[in-house]
């Protein structure tokens, strides 16, 4: 049963016995695990890459969408339980940063905290408390997505693909609207923040708010690009991340 649970929630792009660190990657709103399929090529061979498979998309299309972000984090913490005792690093982009943070708290409470939390292009938990609900039509939602990610324009111009993609995006929007930040315990692990210099959704000053979620070190890196800077700057992002949280890495955090 445990094997079935973990396989339903995780897609393993690299996960062998040689992987002393497991990088768990949490997608953005409307995103999917396969967004991280290219990451092993730009990471050391001893780093495993596991993409989180949210319900209601890709090969989990028949599974119900999560009702709340906290419930999603509960399920993911259960799915990661079999990795207790292994060295985990959590990375989340946009909505995924909030999910990764909630999961990190749950893992810490269970006695196996992550080695590091990496958060990308997302307001800190404290800043989310005052965010207004986003109420938009489908056309407005598509326009907002394309504004942040021009590569999605072609998908939404195809009406069949648009109708296929919108339910997951809508479901994730409800998670965003209902989630008002975390008042849980402070983490003990280091936290690394990442953002694009030209991101219209969040500034580097706002990203610095993530320093409040940890007793450990906090460090922010800014890369060229917008909200999806991690595509155009993938190699540089992954090199920086690996150097930061590798044991004895040059940034001094372990």
């Amino acid at each position: 049963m445990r094997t079935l649970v973990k396989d339903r929630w995780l897609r393993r792009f690299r996960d062998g016995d040689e992987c002393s660190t497991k990088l768990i990657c949490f997608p953005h709103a409307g995103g999917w695990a396969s967004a991280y399929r290219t990451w092993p090529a730009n990471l050391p061979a001893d780093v495993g890459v596991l993409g989180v498979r949210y319900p209601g998309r890709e090969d989990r299309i028949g599974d119900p969408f999560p009702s709340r972000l906290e419930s999603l984090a509960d399920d993911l913490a259960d799915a990661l339980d079999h990795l207790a005792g292994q060295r985990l690093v959590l990375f989340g982009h946009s909505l995924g940063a909030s999910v990764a943070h909630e999961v990190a708290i749950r893992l810490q409470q269970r006695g196996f905290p992550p080695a590091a939390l990496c958060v990308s292009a997302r307001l800190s938990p404290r800043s989310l408390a005052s965010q207004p609900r986003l109420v938009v039509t489908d056309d407005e939602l598509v326009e907002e997505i394309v504004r942040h990610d021009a590569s999605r324009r072609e998908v939404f111009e195809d009406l069949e693909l648009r109708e296929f993609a919108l339910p997951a995006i809508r479901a994730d929007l409800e998670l965003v609207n209902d989630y008002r930040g975390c008042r849980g315990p402070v983490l003990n692990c280091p936290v690394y923040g990442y953002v694009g210099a030209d991101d219209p959704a969040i500034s580097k000053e706002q990203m610095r708010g993530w320093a409040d979620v940890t007793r450990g070190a906090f460090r922010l890196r800014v890369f060229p690009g917008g909200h999806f800077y991690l595509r155009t700057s993938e190699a540089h992002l992954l090199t920086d991340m690996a150097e930061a949280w590798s044991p004895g890495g040059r940034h001094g955090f372990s």
Side-chain angles (χ1 to χ4, degrees), residues 26 68-81 84 88 90 97-114 117 179 181-189:
F26 297 76
R68 294 182 60 80
L69 190 145
E70 294 88 345
S71 300
L72 175 60
D74 288 340
D75 289 340
L76 280 163
D78 288 342
L80 294 174
D81 194 57
L88 305 183
L90 310 186
S98 291
V99 182
H101 176 227
E102 288 279 359
V103 171
I105 289 173
R106 285 155 176 75
L107 297 185
Q108 179 168 288
Q109 290 172 327
R110 295 179 185 206
F112 60 103
L117 171 66
Y179 184 67
C182 175
R183 297 174 179 84
V186 176
L187 296 172
N188 295 321
C189 67

